[in-house]
């Protein structure tokens, strides 16, 4: 969280949410599940693809552009993509602008694949650089609204701002062996955060975060019904500070993770069973004393288990998972002690934090029909040593102080509901809705609980008109409930509702143009999401935004 997310849509083909036993493949920190970003596919064998997209938005006078090239031969495959985004300060519903909310983002991504008779090799590299202004930056005890909201919009870089640079390299090698496969994944990442406050030549914060990762796994199919996956996985993380920086948020420190897991699969005619176990160890170490604390060295370890069952029939799917979770505290939670302007707060870590341990029950019922799909997903999660960041009644140089805290146990429970109605008498109509409800129970209320919400949409498939094909008209209506379940020093958030509208069309087939035009926040609603990092200073989210997007794709 201190180093920026560093993820863009460039080169991402899809996003998956993984719960249950399969989440054991991705590390110990998955207390409730995993968000898994899937890389875009290569072109089909002996195909060449080229494309570009551009999107322009009225609210920020912003532009987001991507271009990509794909080529695949018999055994060699190659993808190359680049993106550039540039946005000015965003417009508020009252037609003023959020001062210094401008940002720029540039990325390049390359993928190389080599298919062999007994294996597959993939090498991927991504470079991303982001420059973001820091709205609401002040050290005044009382924040003046005139410094947050201004009459004129600008995109010129000015102090204070943050600059992020991210490098991602991964080498993924897979060998096919008798009745199975062996896979080795090696990764190296570098994140460089520079924060400039008073001068562009002297950084306030400058941190380098290195991650070296490995993952070795073996998958074997014993027979048609029984298979298993076993593996080892780990990471070495190092956080360094530049001596030129005037402030230090985290000390020089290292973190080493190592884990081993085993997951078994058993498939019957209608039933699919999974069971898994995982052991992990984390070692956190600082090489220096820091703001009155002695050098820190601590080892954490834990065991996870998971059991899941799925029953599939022609129109119905039933899922049941019970799993444990283990998460050791990370560097920020333990060691932070300084201004974190990206979150507009002063953060203080807690060296006495213990590892979190959770037990989750997750049930799902799905009904699949030609005209109606229904999903019901209740869940219950019991977490011991629940870690959260909590505001306290204190200010340091105008910023609220947040401390990392723990509760002995917290119960998190809720339900996700979703349906998609596509009536046979009106094949041109699609009605979709999702309801998310989350509640907690503990000795005292935890902070930063998301608002419950209803996300709904209407889609009309319109007739083809001349060269315009696949025409669609879309309305989205989103309702966010009031959030009054807040911690002692946290403010409540009122309900709000958003209305979006869009129209999509396509021209051509082999050479295809996709056009999208629409408006987000059509009613120019004034709102602040409960989890917004600008909530501390009372800065609203963007107002009405009209957008236009053009995408061109060619394949040969």
């Amino acid at each position: 969280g201190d180093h920026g997310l560093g993820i863009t849509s460039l080169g991402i083909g899809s996003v998956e949410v993984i719960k249950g036993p399969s989440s054991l493949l991705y590390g110990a920190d998955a207390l409730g599940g995993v968000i898994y970003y899937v890389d875009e596919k290569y072109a089909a064998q002996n195909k060449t693809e080229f494309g570009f997209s551009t999107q322009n938005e009225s609210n920020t006078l912003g532009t987001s552009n991507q271009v990509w090239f794909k080529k695949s031969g018999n055994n060699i495959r190659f993808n190359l993509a680049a993106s550039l985004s540039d946005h000015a300060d965003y417009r508020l519903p009252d037609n003023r602008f959020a001062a210094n909310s401008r940002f720029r983002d540039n990325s390049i991504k390359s993928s190389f694949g080599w298919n062999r008779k007994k294996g597959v090799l993939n090498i991927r590299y991504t470079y991303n650089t982001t420059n973001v202004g820091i709205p609401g930056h002040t050290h005044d005890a009382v924040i003046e609204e005139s410094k947050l909201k201004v009459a004129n919009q600008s995109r010129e870089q000015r102090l204070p701002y943050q600059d992020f640079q991210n490098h991602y390299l991964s080498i993924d090698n897979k060998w096919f062996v008798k009745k199975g496969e062996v896979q080795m994944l090696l990764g190296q990442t570098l994140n460089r955060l520079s924060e400039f406050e008073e001068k562009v030549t002297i950084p306030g914060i400058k941190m380098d975060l290195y991650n070296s990762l490995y993952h070795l796994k073996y998958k074997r199919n014993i027979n048609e019904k029984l298979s298993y996956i076993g593996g080892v996985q780990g990471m070495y993380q190092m956080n360094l500070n530049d001596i030129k920086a005037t402030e230090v948020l985290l000390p020089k420190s290292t973190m080493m993770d190592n884990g081993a897991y085993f997951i078994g699969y058993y498939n019957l005619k209608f039933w699919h069973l999974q069971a898994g176990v995982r052991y992990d160890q984390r070692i956190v170490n600082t090489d220096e004393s820091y703001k009155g604390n002695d050098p820190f060295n601590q080892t954490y370890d834990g065991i996870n288990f998971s059991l899941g069952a799925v029953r599939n029939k022609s129109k119905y799917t039933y899922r049941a998972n019970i799993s444990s979770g283990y998460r050791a505290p990370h560097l920020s939670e333990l060691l932070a002690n300084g201004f974190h302007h990206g979150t507009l707060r002063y953060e203080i870590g807690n060296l006495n934090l213990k590892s979190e341990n959770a037990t989750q029950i997750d049930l799902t019922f799905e009904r699949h029909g030609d005209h109606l799909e229904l999903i019901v997903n209740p869940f219950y999660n019991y977490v011991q040593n629940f870690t959260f960041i909590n505001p306290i009644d204190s200010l340091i140089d105008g910023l609220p102080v947040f401390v990392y805290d723990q509760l002995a146990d917290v119960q998190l429970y809720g339900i996700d509901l979703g349906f998609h109605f596509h009536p046979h008498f009106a094949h041109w109509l699609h009605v979709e809705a999702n309801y998310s409800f989350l509640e907690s129970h503990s000795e005292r209320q935890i902070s930063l609980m998301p608002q419950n919400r209803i996300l709904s949409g209407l889609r009309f498939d319109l007739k083809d008109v001349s060269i315009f094909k696949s025409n669609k008209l879309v309305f989205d209506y989103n309702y966010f409930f009031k959030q009054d379940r807040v911690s002692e020093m946290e403010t409540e958030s009122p309900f709000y509702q958003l209305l979006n509208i869009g129209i999509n069309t396509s021209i051509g087939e082999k050479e295809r143009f996709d056009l999208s035009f629409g408006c987000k926040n059509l009613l120019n609603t004034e709102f602040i999401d409960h989890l917004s990092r600008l909530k501390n200073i009372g800065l609203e989210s963007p107002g009405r935004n009209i957008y236009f997007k053009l995408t061109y794709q060619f394949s040969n």
Side-chain angles (χ1 to χ4, degrees):
D2 305 310
H3 294 77
L5 187 60
I7 295 176
T8 74
S9 61
L10 182 69
I12 300 297
S14 62
V15 181
E16 300 175 1
V17 177
I18 299 172
K19 296 182 180 181
S22 293
S23 63
L24 294 179
L25 292 169
Y26 302 101
D29 289 351
L31 286 184
V34 172
I35 301 175
Y36 180 57
Y37 293 83
V38 183
D39 280 304
E40 199 168 283
K41 294 180 180 179
Y42 294 101
Q45 192 175 39
N46 295 316
K47 289 280 187 179
T48 299
E49 296 181 12
F50 168 78
F52 67 84
S53 69
T54 179
Q55 178 166 324
N56 298 281
E57 305 184 25
S58 67
N59 186 282
T60 60
L61 298 181
T63 179
S64 300
N65 307 280
Q66 294 189 1
V67 60
W68 60 89
F69 175 80
K70 301 180 182 181
K71 187 171 182 62
S72 294
N74 290 325
N75 302 104
I76 301 296
R77 303 173 296 175
F78 179 73
N79 286 358
L80 180 64
S83 68
L84 181 149
S85 298
D86 192 306
H87 293 260
D89 299 330
Y90 71 78
R91 184 187 294 269
L92 296 159
D94 65 2
N95 284 326
R96 289 184 293 176
F97 301 93
N100 204 23
S101 59
R102 62 209 68 168
F103 70 94
R104 298 184 181 94
D105 183 274
N106 302 308
S107 300
I108 186 169
K109 183 167 187 174
S110 60
S111 304
F112 170 81
W114 178 31
N115 289 351
R116 313 184 303 279
K117 184 177 181 180
K118 293 187 177 181
V120 177
L121 171 67
N122 286 296
I123 301 175
R124 295 183 172 92
Y125 171 73
T126 301
Y127 172 71
N128 166 258
T129 177
T130 305
N131 183 282
V132 295
I134 303 178
H137 180 275
T138 180
H139 292 295
D140 298 335
V142 178
I143 301 175
E144 298 180 24
E145 185 174 326
S146 61
K147 294 183 179 180
L148 303 180
K149 304 174 183 180
V150 294
N152 298 313
Q153 189 176 35
S154 176
R155 66 174 71 246
E156 295 181 6
Q157 184 185 86
R158 78 172 192 190
L159 296 169
Y161 66 87
Q162 291 179 322
D163 184 78
F164 301 97
Q165 295 183 39
N166 293 282
H167 298 267
Y168 301 96
L169 173 66
S170 68
I171 302 173
D172 188 1
N173 213 336
K174 185 184 294 184
W175 298 272
F176 302 116
V177 296
K178 187 177 181 180
K179 289 189 175 183
E181 61 186 47
V182 178
Q183 184 175 5
M184 168 65 86
L185 173 67
L186 300 174
Q188 180 65 50
T189 77
L190 165 62
N191 174 287
R192 175 163 292 162
L193 163 62
S194 300
E195 183 173 289
F196 298 91
E197 301 169 28
E198 308 297 336
K199 296 181 179 181
V200 296
T201 55
I202 302 176
I205 295 176
K206 191 169 185 180
M207 295 192 294
D208 287 346
L209 184 70
Y210 294 86
N211 283 293
S212 301
L213 310 104
Y214 75 90
H215 188 181
L216 176 64
K217 66 179 179 181
Y218 173 60
K219 179 180 179 180
R220 179 174 175 81
N221 299 315
I222 298 175
N223 52 47
E224 293 182 354
K225 297 181 179 180
L226 190 61
S227 62
Y228 66 85
I229 297 177
V232 291
Q233 185 182 47
M235 172 184 74
Y236 180 77
Q237 185 177 94
M238 181 167 53
N239 187 81
L240 302 176
N241 293 290
D242 194 295
I243 59 174
K244 298 178 182 178
T246 60
E247 300 176 23
V248 176
L249 178 62
L250 297 173
K252 180 182 178 182
S253 48
T254 61
M255 188 170 73
M256 185 167 62
D257 288 354
N258 285 290
Y261 63 86
F262 179 88
I263 306 174
Y265 303 84
Y266 186 66
N267 298 313
L268 295 172
K269 185 176 181 180
F270 296 114
W271 287 93
H272 304 278
L273 306 177
Q274 296 183 43
V277 63
R278 181 181 178 109
Y279 171 79
D280 284 274
Q281 182 186 77
R282 170 171 292 177
I283 301 173
V284 180
N285 181 59
T286 63
D287 299 333
E288 57 191 7
S289 58
Y290 176 60
K291 294 191 176 180
N293 295 316
D294 295 330
F296 180 80
N297 185 280
Q298 185 68 46
T299 300
Y300 307 88
D301 60 0
I303 296 177
N304 280 348
F305 74 90
S306 193
L307 177 65
V310 180
R311 177 174 171 81
N312 285 318
K313 298 196 73 174
S314 58
K315 291 187 177 182
Y316 300 96
T317 300
Y318 306 90
R319 288 187 177 90
N321 293 311
I322 180 170
S323 57
S324 67
Y326 154 81
R327 192 182 75 84
H330 59 69
L331 298 178
S332 299
E333 294 169 334
L334 292 165
L335 305 171
N337 194 330
F339 294 102
H340 189 183
H341 295 115
T343 58
L344 297 173
R345 60 197 185 205
Y346 190 101
E347 297 184 359
I348 300 176
N350 185 345
L351 295 175
N352 298 316
L353 294 179
K354 301 177 182 178
S355 296
E356 290 179 281
N357 292 280
T359 302
Q360 175 162 302
I361 300 173
D362 200 284
L363 305 174
T364 304
F365 165 76
E366 299 180 15
R367 195 264 187 195
H368 309 282
D370 295 333
H371 312 292
L372 178 66
E373 292 188 42
L374 178 67
I375 298 176
V376 181
N377 175 208
F379 58 88
Y380 173 84
N381 199 345
Y382 176 73
V383 186
Q384 295 174 291
N385 302 320
F386 182 85
T387 303
F388 66 111
I389 190 165
N390 197 36
I392 62 175
D393 188 14
S394 182
L395 293 174
I396 296 180
D397 287 350
L399 289 180
V401 178
F402 282 67
V403 298
Y404 284 97
D405 201 356
Q406 275 190 328
L407 292 174
D409 56 77
V410 170
Q411 299 176 64
L412 298 168
Y413 52 90
I415 190 168
D416 291 321
L417 302 174
F419 81 90
H420 176 196
F421 180 51
H422 182 207
H424 68 278
F425 59 84
H427 278 290
W428 43 267
L429 175 65
H430 297 261
V431 182
E432 296 183 78
N434 293 278
Y435 171 60
S436 295
F437 172 82
L438 176 65
E439 184 61 273
S440 68
H441 179 75
S442 56
E443 63 184 66
R444 54 191 173 95
Q445 182 61 47
I446 60 177
S447 62
L448 299 176
M449 286 281 292
Q451 293 168 269
N452 296 325
R453 63 199 63 194
I454 297 175
L455 310 180
S456 60
L458 285 175
R459 193 184 85 201
F460 301 91
D461 294 334
L462 308 178
K463 293 182 179 180
D464 295 345
V465 179
S466 184
I467 61 173
F468 299 98
K469 313 290 184 182
S470 302
N471 304 313
K472 296 178 176 61
L473 177 64
V474 180
F475 293 91
D476 287 332
Y477 172 73
N478 302 326
Y479 184 91
F480 294 78
F481 291 85
K482 177 182 179 180
Q483 179 56 284
D484 54 9
R485 299 160 297 146
V486 295
S487 65
E488 184 178 353
M489 297 303 302
E490 190 180 18
T491 58
E492 298 182 359
S493 294
F495 81 93
Y496 64 90
Q497 47 196 338
L498 299 174
L499 181 63
N500 309 315
I501 184 173
I503 187 166
N504 308 313
T505 188
S506 296
I507 303 173
E509 295 181 4
K510 185 177 180 180
E511 288 188 85
R512 196 178 81 194
F513 290 89
D514 296 325
L515 301 129
S516 300
F517 175 79
C519 182
K520 298 179 180 179
N521 193 3
L522 181 65
L523 303 180
N524 203 30
T525 301
E526 186 176 292
F527 71 99
I528 304 177
D529 188 88
H530 189 68
L531 300 187
S532 170
R533 289 188 167 183
L534 302 177
K535 187 173 185 289
N536 290 339
I537 56 174
L539 192 58
E540 296 88 352
S541 296
R544 184 182 295 112
N545 181 29
I546 299 172
Y547 67 88
F548 173 77
K549 183 176 182 180
L550 168 67
T551 302
Y552 169 77
Q553 298 182 75
F554 169 79
S555 63
N556 183 28

